[in-house]
Amino acid sequence: MSDQRLFNVAVVGATGAVGEQILRLLAERDFPLKSLKLLSSARSAGTKIPFKGQELTVEEATPDSFKGVEIALFSAGGDVSRALIPHAVEHGAVCIDNTNAYRMDPETPLVVPEVNIDKISGHKGIIANPNCSTIQMVAALKPLYDRFGISRIIVSTYQAVSGAGAKAIQEMLRQSREVLDGGDPKPDILPVGSLPVKHQIAFNAIPQIDKFQDNGFTLEEMKMIKETKKIMGDDSIEVTATCVRIPVVYGHSESVYVEMKQDFDIGEVKALLADAPGVTLMDDPERQLYPLAAAAAGKNDVFVGRVRRDLSNPRALNLWIVSDNLLKGAAWNAVQIAEYIAIPQA
Ligand code: NAP
Ligand code: 3JN
């Protein structure tokens, strides 16, 4: 008989795009559950969701929802996390938070298991999941950082509309049909639902993800800059980012320029990437083999290709990094952390 301990788990935001993937992963990976509580806003309370042959009923998330809960996975937005996580922690739950609410809190570890799983031992009830664009970049760069050191990163992202939620996916599909039918689509959601100016996403590229900050960078760009330093544990890495929304449904792609602290051999770089946990190297220009968002969709790994020495700086590399933003970028990273908490590692 297995002596695996079982856990009372809650998923906050269970009816959302990220929550749906978390539930699928908990079921597929046979997570050691004693009980599973599905939480949402009052809007979805009462909804039935199938889970491993049972029908679970969604409940409204309130401060009392966390009595007896041991692990709580939050993906219902930063306001919900700020309002409910303190109650969940008070009830003794370890909270894995997919939002920006606690990421830069010095008391809260910001964790990508392939990079800094050692940090979870210092948690005080909250472990933060980084932003999707940051996760895939640091997972790929970690083995290069460890071997050669990294002094500078310049990243441009090509981000899928699913990162902006289900309504943004619908908007992109609707606009695409309207353009193909010869119409003039009205933008409604993107780039930022709460701002007055909207732009067409179909057949377009929008260089704005989230709101502009006083320094001219967007919030998404600042998340990448600050989170990368915190996860790598190295404030000396210079990072700059330009984040762009493109009309792809799932899978964020990134063009990354990385300056190393030491000389490197390109063969060794490829060997390190090929061996890196959670990373798949797809790099064979002769066969036109490189990562594609459409192929990465639905997969847990981070895919890396177009690996080449920079022509303007022999100590720098250029890479193309692709991953499913809802999986490694959110749900899978969170479930991985939950597994590290729940399952004794070999
Ligand atoms: P979504 O599809 O819009 O789902 C939102 C979820 O939050 C739904 O389950 C919704 O429940 C629930 N919710 C909303 N207001 C609530 C409230 N007041 N109390 C309790 N639950 C509430 O959004 P999503 O794409 O899954 O993303 C959800 C959040 O995850 C985002 O806001 C973001 O913070 C985080 N996220 C992080 C990453 C990342 O980069 N790591 C990527 C994507 C998302 P109802 O069905 O009742 O509305
Ligand atoms: O736009 C994207 O592609 C990624 C969006 C992430 C996001 C959207 C709303 C709120 C986040 C995030 O995880 O950084 C948040 C949040 O911080 O809570």
Side-chain angles (χ1 to χ4, degrees):
M1 204 176 84
S2 162
D3 55 2
Q4 168 66 58
R5 202 185 133 199
L6 303 179
F7 291 81
N8 295 316
V9 173
V11 176
V12 185
T15 53
V18 176
E20 183 186 348
Q21 295 307 319
I22 289 175
L23 297 182
R24 181 182 61 77
L25 286 163
L26 292 176
E28 270 180 21
R29 296 187 61 82
D30 220 359
F31 192 87
L33 293 169
K34 198 186 297 170
S35 70
L36 179 61
K37 194 176 244 193
L38 308 188
L39 300 169
S40 73
S41 78
R43 285 182 297 276
S44 296
T47 306
K48 308 259 187 228
I49 295 188
F51 185 85
K52 284 188 149 185
Q54 283 177 276
E55 279 225 316
L56 302 181
T57 304
V58 177
E59 296 167 42
E60 181 182 357
T62 70
D64 288 336
S65 303
F66 301 94
K67 282 183 188 153
V69 169
E70 295 166 289
I71 299 175
L73 297 118
F74 280 77
S75 54
D79 291 345
V80 175
S81 291
R82 275 183 283 270
L84 293 180
I85 282 180
H87 298 282
V89 172
E90 213 168 278
H91 285 297
V94 178
C95 298
I96 301 167
D97 185 25
N98 252 307
T99 81
N100 197 32
Y102 293 94
R103 285 181 192 152
M104 296 314 296
D105 169 15
E107 302 258 277
T108 300
L110 181 61
V111 174
V112 177
E114 291 81 356
V115 179
N116 63 345
I117 193 61
D118 52 306
K119 294 284 183 245
I120 64 170
S121 59
H123 78 76
K124 296 195 165 75
I126 312 172
I127 300 165
N129 228 33
N131 172 269
C132 42
S133 303
T134 313
I135 292 178
Q136 65 184 66
M137 186 172 80
V138 297
L141 295 188
K142 172 66 172 166
L144 308 182
Y145 176 85
D146 286 346
R147 173 66 182 85
F148 306 111
I150 288 177
S151 49
R152 179 181 296 275
I153 300 169
I154 303 175
V155 54
S156 297
T157 70
Y158 304 69
Q159 295 186 218
V161 289
S162 54
K167 285 185 183 159
I169 301 177
Q170 293 316 316
E171 162 144 295
M172 194 270 276
L173 298 176
R174 172 182 61 76
Q175 288 181 0
S176 303
R177 282 185 218 104
E178 285 172 8
V179 172
L180 290 172
D181 289 343
D184 183 15
K186 277 234 167 341
D188 189 33
I189 304 282
L190 292 168
V192 181
S194 59
L195 293 181
V197 176
K198 302 293 193 295
H199 298 301
Q200 179 178 317
I201 182 62
F203 305 97
N204 209 358
I206 305 176
Q208 180 185 359
I209 297 186
D210 217 321
K211 294 181 180 165
F212 281 100
Q213 311 295 289
D214 290 344
N215 61 7
F217 284 74
T218 64
L219 184 56
E220 182 82 354
E221 290 160 355
M222 290 314 298
K223 285 175 183 175
M224 288 196 80
I225 293 167
K226 291 179 183 167
E227 293 176 16
T228 298
K229 292 168 190 262
K230 178 166 176 179
I231 299 161
M232 294 297 218
D234 186 346
D235 271 344
S236 77
I237 305 176
E238 304 286 355
V239 187
T240 190
T242 303
C243 293
V244 180
R245 187 77 66 198
I246 59 160
V248 157
V249 179
Y250 300 109
H252 287 357
S253 304
E254 298 176 344
S255 167
V256 186
Y257 166 95
V258 200
E259 272 176 23
M260 306 299 181
K261 285 194 172 156
Q262 292 175 33
D263 292 334
F264 59 84
D265 174 79
I266 199 77
E268 188 181 358
V269 165
K270 291 186 188 182
L272 287 166
L273 290 167
D275 277 354
V279 173
T280 299
L281 179 67
M282 289 182 85
D283 194 30
D284 188 351
E286 276 190 18
R287 291 194 297 136
Q288 292 172 269
L289 183 72
Y290 34 72
L292 295 168
K299 310 227 167 70
N300 287 343
D301 259 11
V302 172
F303 298 87
V304 186
R306 302 293 321 278
V307 181
R308 61 212 189 274
R309 190 184 297 279
D310 192 77
L311 293 179
S312 65
N313 178 353
R315 276 230 181 133
L317 265 182
N318 291 284
L319 311 164
W320 181 246
I321 302 174
V322 179
S323 195
D324 187 319
N325 50 303
L326 294 185
L327 296 181
K328 184 59 186 167
W332 170 231
N333 201 69
V335 170
Q336 272 183 303
I337 294 170
E339 288 186 353
Y340 273 96
I341 293 167
I343 304 168
Q345 303 298 304

